[in-house]
Amino acid sequence: MSAAPVHVQDITVTSFEVIDLRFPTSLDGVGSDAMHVGTNGSHPYIRLKTNQGTLIGEGIAFSNGRGSELICMALDIFARRVVGKSMHELTRDMGKTWRYMVSDSQYRWIGPEKSVTHLAVAGVLNAVWDLWGKILGKPVWKIVCDMDPEEVVRCIDFRYITDVITPEESVEILKKTQKDKETRLQEALENRAVPAYTTSPGWLAFSGDRMREVLQETIAAGYTTFKFKVGTNVEADRERLAAVREVLGYDQGHQIMIDANQVWSVPQAIEYMKRLVEFKPVFIEEPTNPDDVLGHATIRRALKPYGVGVATGEAAQNRVTFKQLLQAEATDVCQIDAVRLGSVNECLAVMLMALKFNVPCVPHNGAMGLTELTSHLSTIDYIAISGRKSMLENADSHRENLRHPSKIENAHYVTPLDPGYSTGYTHTALEKYTYPSGSFWKSDIGLEIIAQPTGGEL
């Protein structure tokens, strides 16, 4: 006999659990770049428990190791705002729920709508979306794609962005996107909706031999677009990119992008990039401070004659920063982040603004856990928002720890079909990597990583 169907009216959030999960990615150099050295990809992880014991909403934020404890503290604070609420209350007007989550007048003082508090809001709302998907029996991307334009718009808080886009205008834009929507949905079901590019060969800590080895592996897997980290030494970068082009060539259908991860000032970025344009990167990602909108615009203007674009957004704090990047013509690509922006809701706002400005929305990834979330976001953007096929970063690391790992076939993301937001960990991962009590972090190598220098010199 099948179980009785569950409805949002029946489900109430009763309690929650926060877990500090940290993975030792510093051991293999994954995540290393010009700004971030010795990083340990970390998932401040929240489980929303309900009055239906086995029905749990799972969500994450993200950090590079240290600092994860601050996000966990903030998750504990913001999760209290949904305890006692029914899922009907939380999902009947998601834009209103989003406003509610950012409206604690005292905690707004240490934001507002940015930094640690916003990471926590994202983590809690990611769990709400996950729980909603599990109740409906749908992956999160399908929840949004099944909405009509008015329902999508009701998921968004338009405060601070109506000078660029209004709810009424958004509805009209989305009505146009309805054309050929069923065709795009079929592409998703055939795993052809989200092409993948890879950063796997591009980590800065990789030796030349290791870079070539991984590059050949990813070519064999069908990838045609690759990203490489740069920014610490121009001569070393020229040598690495020359080696890359020696493998890829210039006329074999392969593209490269490069990423400086915020390490340069504006004049330095321009001069440094003039030494790299000969390798024909499609864009330079995060060439300077992520808050410097006008600096990005200056760099973009300077590089445009060389055919090199600018991409940014992974560290953009909220929809307002993206609004200004678009207004200032400061970026060629909007790189939304699934855990830095306020969950699906705020990502939808940026997708709509990017569509209006005719700028592609390409989510930031670079680590396991993020790729699982962004495969939903890119699918939403293609099917329901822009109707434009873009691409999505993939970097493979520690995926064996996930219950719903993203998969790549024929250099495309396999569209996730399990109900929820593709979040959750194996029992082994929880036992090993919970910080600081997990077995790995109590081992000699774990203690050695914890004791490593924290960076910077006097």
Side-chain angles (χ1 to χ4, degrees):
M1 186 174 178
S2 60
V6 178
H7 303 286
V8 290
Q9 294 92 337
D10 304 325
I11 305 302
T12 299
V13 179
T14 57
S15 63
F16 62 89
E17 178 184 18
V18 175
I19 300 172
D20 188 345
L21 277 175
R22 305 190 190 188
F23 300 94
T25 52
S26 60
L27 293 177
D28 56 13
V30 170
S32 56
D33 57 53
M35 183 64 77
H36 308 101
V37 179
T39 60
N40 293 301
S42 301
H43 297 182
Y45 169 48
I46 183 165
R47 292 159 50 92
L48 297 180
K49 300 180 181 181
T50 71
N51 57 331
Q52 298 278 339
T54 58
L55 194 57
I56 293 173
E58 299 170 274
I60 63 167
F62 189 84
S63 82
N64 272 329
R66 289 183 301 275
S68 198
E69 70 278 9
L70 300 178
I71 302 170
C72 286
M73 289 172 64
L75 281 170
D76 184 87
I77 291 164
F78 283 91
R80 297 173 191 274
R81 294 182 72 77
V82 300
V83 172
K85 299 288 190 292
S86 74
M87 283 299 289
H88 174 65
E89 290 177 277
L90 293 171
T91 61
R92 64 187 172 188
D93 185 338
M94 281 293 273
K96 184 177 181 181
T97 296
W98 197 93
R99 175 76 67 93
Y100 164 73
M101 287 300 298
V102 301
S103 290
D104 184 303
S105 62
Q106 295 183 18
Y107 281 112
R108 276 187 69 84
W109 182 254
I110 56 173
E113 297 179 29
K114 57 188 173 186
S115 192
V116 173
T117 59
H118 216 44
L119 287 163
V121 166
V124 174
L125 285 175
N126 285 341
V128 170
W129 279 95
D130 179 71
L131 182 55
W132 195 11
K134 289 171 178 173
I135 293 168
L136 297 178
K138 297 179 181 182
V140 162
W141 68 264
K142 191 69 163 56
I143 298 177
V144 179
C145 292
D146 284 348
M147 293 178 178
D148 61 34
E150 289 81 5
E151 289 172 321
V152 173
V153 168
R154 280 200 297 273
C155 291
I156 300 168
D157 183 354
F158 282 83
R159 181 164 61 179
Y160 308 138
I161 62 173
T162 52
D163 52 327
V164 162
I165 196 165
T166 65
E168 296 76 18
E169 183 181 10
S170 298
V171 168
E172 293 307 309
I173 289 172
L174 292 176
K175 285 180 178 177
K176 295 176 183 177
T177 308
Q178 298 296 300
K179 182 181 179 183
D180 297 326
K181 183 177 177 181
E182 287 302 316
T183 300
R184 296 192 297 274
L185 175 60
Q186 187 59 38
E187 286 187 74
L189 296 176
E190 295 171 358
N191 303 323
R192 296 186 293 114
V194 182
Y197 75 90
T198 182
T199 311
S200 292
W203 301 115
L204 209 54
F206 282 7
S207 66
D209 288 343
R210 178 61 177 153
M211 180 272 291
R212 290 184 183 88
E213 177 187 2
V214 178
L215 183 56
Q216 293 288 6
E217 290 173 357
T218 50
I219 292 170
Y223 287 95
T224 59
T225 306
F226 311 85
K227 188 165 75 178
F228 297 87
K229 302 293 185 175
V230 298
T232 55
N233 180 287
V234 70
E235 295 303 330
D237 287 340
R238 286 178 55 82
E239 184 177 334
R240 287 177 75 241
L241 294 179
V244 168
R245 280 303 187 186
E246 186 177 325
V247 174
L248 297 180
Y250 286 90
D251 56 1
Q252 299 177 39
H254 295 127
Q255 292 183 317
I256 68 169
M257 292 92 77
I258 54 179
D259 185 357
N261 289 95
Q262 316 164 19
V263 77
W264 299 320
S265 64
V266 173
Q268 184 185 12
I270 294 168
E271 293 308 309
Y272 200 112
M273 280 302 301
K274 286 179 180 178
R275 301 286 308 280
L276 302 183
V277 293
E278 68 184 83
F279 302 106
K280 300 201 177 302
V282 177
F283 62 64
I284 174 64
E285 182 176 334
E286 281 202 312
T288 194
N289 184 287
D291 294 332
D292 190 353
V293 172
L294 297 182
H296 277 84
T298 299
I299 294 166
R300 182 173 180 263
R301 285 194 299 272
L303 296 183
K304 193 168 186 178
Y306 299 95
V308 177
V310 168
T312 195
E314 72 175 80
Q317 303 276 18
N318 50 43
R319 64 203 181 285
V320 178
T321 304
F322 277 104
K323 179 187 77 170
Q324 294 178 345
L325 287 165
L326 293 165
Q327 288 174 311
E329 299 182 352
T331 189
D332 295 281
V333 179
C334 282
Q335 294 180 305
I336 58 175
D337 188 287
V339 296
R340 192 177 294 275
L341 293 180
S343 191
V344 177
N345 313 60
E346 195 167 29
C347 290
L348 291 172
V350 178
M351 289 177 193
L352 280 165
M353 288 191 291
L355 177 59
K356 180 175 178 179
F357 281 85
N358 197 31
V359 173
C361 209
V362 180
H364 162 249
N365 268 339
M368 64 95 169
L370 295 183
T371 59
E372 284 64 36
L373 303 182
T374 54
S375 62
H376 289 260
L377 296 177
S378 285
T379 305
I380 290 168
D381 184 55
Y382 179 52
I383 296 175
I385 307 299
S386 73
R388 302 180 302 193
K389 189 175 291 187
S390 185
M391 57 183 175
L392 181 61
E393 182 177 14
N394 182 61
D396 197 17
S397 172
H398 288 75
R399 211 161 297 286
E400 69 278 3
N401 297 294
L402 304 178
R403 297 203 321 271
H404 308 281
S406 61
K407 298 177 183 178
I408 305 292
E409 291 181 2
N410 301 316
H412 282 71
Y413 271 82
V414 174
T415 304
L417 297 178
D418 289 340
Y421 206 3
S422 301
T423 301
Y425 303 89
T426 65
H427 291 299
T428 300
L430 293 169
E431 186 279 324
K432 287 179 67 175
Y433 297 119
T434 295
Y435 185 90
S437 60
S439 60
F440 175 84
W441 294 111
K442 291 194 293 186
S443 70
D444 289 344
I445 185 65
L447 293 171
E448 184 178 327
I449 291 173
I450 292 170
Q452 286 177 348
T454 56
E457 298 179 5
L458 286 175

